Amino acid sequence: MTRRAMNYTNVQAEDPEIYQIIKKEEQRQKEGLELIPSENYASAAVLEAMGSILNDKYAEGYPKKRYYGGNQFIDEVESLCQKRALAAYGLDPKEWAVNVQPLSGSPANIAVYFALMNFGEKLMALQLTEGGHLTHGADANFSGRAYKPVFYPLDPQSQMLDYDVVRKLAQEHRPKILLAGYTAYPRTIDFSKFAQIAKEVGAYSMADISHISGLVSAGVHPSPFPDMDVVTTTTHKLLRGPRAAVIFSKRATLKDGKSISELIDKAIFPGLQGGPHEHTIAGVAIAFKEAQTSEFKTYAAQVIKNAKALAESLMAEGLKLVSGGTDNHLLLVDLTPFGPGKGIFVQQALEEASITANKNTIPGEPASPFFPSGLRLGTPSITTRGFKEGDMQQVGKWIADVIKSVKDYNYFPEKEKRQAEIDRFKKELANNEVIAKVRKEVNEFCSKFPVPGIE
Ligand code: DSN
């Protein structure tokens, strides 16, 4: 990937306020550790394409079938992106279609539901609080209102998928779509088992591989291809592309005699979206080109090595991990040994120490989604910066030190008591010596690892 620094001379000249904000964010990214598992750094080439004049063109429709004129070069961009997306997963264009127009992951998933289900039909997935995604049928989301969600649980002991339970529930509820793919699941997913179960109950099988699509394309996580009917992924996580998404679908799978690929295209446009963002699609094309390099394959393997090393380091510090470890790019720290609902304190304390991670529910969450009991960590960003296994011991120690330094702040179910505790925590944060020490060390350490796109 091109790691050259971006220069923002035009922004600086025309809008110094925005320029200053960009510079502050650059500084934050440079001096801190980014451990949110869904984030990464796009290459300078990806960023440049997104900032290009391709932004200026309206292109409703698809290559060679546009509503407006002047799209001969835009067609080239979108066709090239489709070709590279399929190649990144070794897919034959005669068997697989790909739609590269979704604006991001949520519209991609909604488009699949819109194409394949009538309102009120059943969508079976893992619940958000167990590690699923908002668009996998959560109450607060369109997917949970327009369709009828049926959730399969994780095994309460192992905190991993139990395919027998998935099968039993699928047989009982006979969903229209059976969905696999998660945002906070640290273990390997056996997509072929999901596809088999879907077949047995007459459901469409769908994988949302947004979190692991870079691992799949690099061959370090089992693939949902060719088993699943539909595969969605965002392009800005491990894949290091623009904020966007793509939908792969099996041409031969039919709904009411029509190919689901045609129905998905129609669901995106004119169903849900207008003009596609072709500047972003150009960036996605570059990301899929980068994903096919040997450098990227080495990177993806290193992401997993780093996550495993970080897991070891955290456990050696006495922290508990959901499922006892990780097979992929992310880890979920179970903070309940210190008490329920402590994610908010830990997230803020880490941020104060220049370590960005996110509070997260854990399976069987004992507190609440707003005051969850877990911490989600991931290695895609720090691996892009060049961190190796040896560095993970130090990273784990910093995280553990910070967590332990705030472990005695408590979550109270009663609103007033809770707010008083949060206020006390915030007041005392500035005087927390452990955090001050970790921040200094993190800032010094990070200065040795450049961030792509930043000087
Ligand atoms: N917000 C993303 C994540 O962090 O996993 C999913 O949409």
Side-chain angles (χ1 to χ4, degrees), residues 140-431:
N141 187 261
F142 180 82
S143 58
R145 304 258 181 103
Y147 305 99
K148 190 167 174 353
V150 178
F151 296 116
Y152 50 83
L154 295 177
D155 176 74
Q157 260 71 51
S158 66
Q159 300 178 305
M160 295 190 211
L161 291 163
D162 181 335
Y163 299 92
D164 292 335
V165 171
V166 176
R167 173 174 282 110
K168 204 163 155 275
L169 281 172
Q171 283 167 347
E172 186 184 329
H173 293 280
R174 306 198 80 81
K176 194 82 179 185
I177 293 180
L178 175 60
L179 173 52
Y182 316 104
T183 61
Y185 185 69
R187 295 300 183 171
T188 301
I189 305 166
D190 188 337
F191 291 109
S192 62
K193 285 194 177 142
F194 274 101
Q196 179 58 37
I197 296 168
K199 206 178 246 171
E200 287 165 18
V201 302
Y204 295 108
S205 55
M206 173 177 174
D208 175 350
I209 60 167
S210 294
H211 262 261
I212 55 168
S213 48
L215 302 179
V216 171
S217 73
V220 293
H221 185 288
S223 177
F225 304 107
D227 300 317
M228 306 296 271
D229 293 311
V230 183
V231 177
T232 61
T233 179
T234 49
T235 51
H236 49 272
K237 298 186 173 85
L238 247 146
L239 282 172
R240 303 197 291 209
R243 308 198 79 85
V246 300
I247 306 170
F248 297 94
S249 57
K250 220 180 244 175
R251 293 186 190 278
T253 303
L254 304 179
K255 182 185 180 234
D256 302 333
K258 290 196 183 119
S259 166
I260 60 165
S261 308
E262 285 169 35
L263 298 175
I264 288 169
D265 280 353
K266 284 197 178 122
I268 287 287
F269 176 80
L272 294 167
Q273 297 184 179
H277 295 184
E278 296 289 345
H279 56 306
T280 305
I281 291 172
V284 173
I286 294 172
F288 277 125
K289 183 176 182 190
E290 290 175 354
Q292 290 172 68
T293 60
S294 58
E295 184 206 338
F296 186 85
K297 292 181 202 319
T298 308
Y299 159 71
Q302 187 65 47
V303 166
I304 297 181
K305 286 184 203 160
N306 284 352
K308 285 180 184 290
L310 182 56
E312 288 303 322
S313 168
L314 293 168
M315 290 190 291
E317 292 291 331
L319 295 177
K320 186 176 174 197
L321 299 184
V322 167
S323 82
T326 181
D327 301 326
N328 58 24
H329 64 302
L330 70 81
L331 316 98
L332 205 49
V333 183
D334 177 350
L335 300 166
T336 54
F338 304 114
K342 297 210 174 187
I344 185 170
F345 302 115
V346 168
Q347 177 181 313
Q348 286 192 23
L350 286 169
E351 185 160 346
E352 196 65 20
S354 289
I355 300 174
T356 313
N358 68 277
K359 59 182 185 297
N360 212 96
T361 52
I362 55 168
E365 176 57 54
S368 96
F370 298 103
F371 297 95
S373 304
L375 177 75
R376 193 179 65 150
L377 301 165
T379 52
S381 297
I382 53 174
T383 307
T384 296
R385 285 182 84 166
F387 283 60
K388 295 277 180 342
E389 293 101 304
D391 304 310
M392 293 302 120
Q393 203 179 341
Q394 178 61 77
V395 173
K397 171 95 175 59
W398 283 324
I399 293 168
D401 285 351
V402 171
I403 291 176
K404 288 172 194 168
S405 82
V406 295
K407 70 178 174 35
D408 293 330
Y409 293 98
N410 289 311
Y411 162 78
F412 294 100
E414 307 85 354
K415 202 171 167 199
E416 277 168 21
K417 273 174 123 178
R418 188 168 66 227
Q419 194 53 49
E421 186 74 341
I422 293 172
D423 292 345
R424 179 172 80 89
F425 163 74
K426 284 189 180 156
K427 218 164 110 200
E428 292 172 2
L429 205 51
N431 302 322

